[in-house]
Amino acid sequence: MITRFAPSPTGHLHKGHAFSALTAYENTRQKGGKFLLRIEDIDFNRCKSTHSRQILEDLDWLGIEWEEPVRVQSEHIDQYSRAATELLERGLLYPCFCTRKDIQREIEAAGQAPHGSEGPLYPGTCKRLPSGERARRTELGESYALRLDLDKAMAEIDSSITWNDTLQGPQEARPEILGDIVLVRKDIRTSYHLASVFDDGLQQVTDIVRGVDLFDSTHIHCVLQRLLGLPIPTYHHHRLLTDENGNRLAKRDRSITLKSLRDAGITAKQLKKELGFAV
Ligand code: GLU
């Protein structure tokens, strides 16, 4: 068994992250597996190395031990790019020149757009572009993202995909709830979906423990796993911690960061107990 904790260093870790990391860690330890730490810092606009260093400190404080070396995604953008190029050459991706505004305008003009779990689905503007037009705009140097052509992807897979969640049971993949997602962003030449799935495969992760907010992403992740010839891991999407008003804990809420708890004299043992872990 191999699992991982894969935070994005966009801020300080809070109690919710501690709960996620400890759930993965304790579960792995009980089963004698390996626990990996991966820094998902592809978004250079939002991620900071100071946050990455703080993450290591916070996890160490929690008593978590991880395998070395830590994989840092920003050091491997070329690997994700190569995976995307392979999918592009197989005709499974298409360039999308749309800005957010273009997409919004198109959706408004259409009157009613199909909605997925994360809002309106991409209306397919660039999917319908004639190839000459695509080539012309690319040659002009217009920037573009690469989107997954879900119809072609599903035609290539040619069978239903199932995955298992340890809490919610067997699931049939419903990638249509996310539609033609961006796999290569305009600005960073990869995306969370691609980099994360690629690394889980490369690192031979067998059990993915993460918050239930990522449950829907799994429907598309297993499509990517099939396209890239990777095994589909077992998933454990755990509940999300909330504050006293029932709101999800957020990185911007400074009061519940692990660092602030530590600075206030709370011990890791106290926190683990509060979160329901044996101490
Ligand atoms: N990097 C993601 C986050 O911090 C988690 C990715 C995952 O566990 O798949 O939300």
Side-chain angles (χ1 to χ4, degrees):
M1 175 191 183
I2 302 181
T3 192
R4 68 358 178 233
F5 178 56
S8 300
T10 54
H12 290 284
L13 295 189
H14 54 59
K15 278 186 192 177
H17 296 108
F19 179 72
S20 194
L22 286 166
T23 304
Y25 185 63
E26 295 300 336
N27 191 12
T28 316
R29 268 213 325 188
Q30 276 166 18
K31 295 182 181 148
K34 280 187 182 169
F35 177 87
L36 313 180
L37 171 62
R38 186 165 76 222
I39 301 292
E40 298 206 327
D41 61 345
I42 53 168
D43 191 339
F44 50 78
N45 292 313
R46 297 174 59 225
C47 296
K48 291 206 178 91
S49 56
T50 47
H51 292 315
S52 300
R53 280 196 293 279
Q54 186 68 53
I55 287 173
L56 303 194
E57 243 177 69
D58 287 343
L59 296 178
D60 190 45
W61 175 72
L62 282 171
I64 290 178
E65 289 173 20
W66 55 88
E67 304 281 323
E68 295 286 353
V70 172
R71 185 162 169 93
V72 178
Q73 287 193 327
S74 58
E75 295 169 5
H76 304 289
I77 304 285
D78 54 331
Q79 295 184 7
Y80 313 130
S81 252
R82 275 201 295 277
T85 304
E86 195 214 299
L87 295 175
L88 182 67
E89 283 168 356
R90 278 159 59 190
L92 299 173
L93 308 185
Y94 61 90
C96 173
F97 303 93
C98 293
T99 60
R100 270 175 214 271
K101 271 209 180 122
D102 293 333
I103 296 175
Q104 215 179 330
R105 224 176 291 130
E106 176 92 11
I107 288 171
E108 278 163 17
Q112 40 153 229
H115 270 59
S117 57
E118 288 177 2
L121 298 182
Y122 177 63
T125 324
C126 286
K127 195 176 193 166
R128 296 186 293 268
L129 278 186
S131 58
E133 173 74 358
R134 251 180 214 168
R136 191 187 64 80
R137 291 174 74 169
T138 314
E139 261 165 45
L140 283 174
E142 209 177 311
S143 63
Y144 59 86
L146 290 173
R147 286 185 181 273
L148 179 67
D149 189 325
L150 191 57
D151 296 326
K152 286 192 185 156
M154 294 317 280
E156 185 174 308
I157 290 168
D158 190 31
S159 66
S160 68
I161 307 173
T162 52
W163 55 281
N164 194 43
D165 181 84
T166 52
L167 296 177
Q168 299 195 39
Q171 306 288 323
E172 181 143 349
R174 289 182 295 119
E176 63 283 1
I177 61 176
L178 291 175
D180 286 3
I181 48 152
V182 169
L183 282 193
V184 175
R185 285 168 44 165
K186 279 184 183 173
D187 53 351
I188 52 177
R189 311 316 296 158
T190 183
S191 62
Y192 155 63
H193 297 300
L194 178 61
S196 196
V197 165
F198 181 91
D199 281 350
D200 286 331
L202 183 80
Q203 298 187 290
Q204 300 180 329
V205 172
T206 59
D207 292 72
I208 295 183
V209 177
R210 61 185 180 195
V212 73
D213 53 330
L214 288 169
F215 191 92
D216 286 348
S217 293
T218 304
H219 286 294
I220 206 88
H221 289 185
C222 47
V223 170
L224 295 178
Q225 280 145 0
R226 287 289 291 274
L227 293 176
L228 296 170
L230 302 171
I232 298 179
T234 298
Y235 287 85
H236 175 100
H237 292 98
H238 59 71
R239 70 187 169 92
L240 301 179
L241 297 194
T242 51
D243 63 17
E244 58 283 358
N245 301 318
N247 298 319
R248 254 175 71 179
L249 302 184
K251 278 180 180 157
R252 61 184 174 275
D253 184 355
R254 313 209 92 235
S255 60
I256 36 83
T257 66
L258 301 187
K259 182 169 183 329
S260 65
L261 295 175
R262 191 155 75 241
D263 291 349
I266 309 266
T267 64
K269 210 169 166 181
Q270 283 170 318
L271 176 63
K272 281 168 91 167
K273 209 164 159 196
E274 182 196 322
L275 296 175
F277 294 96
V279 287

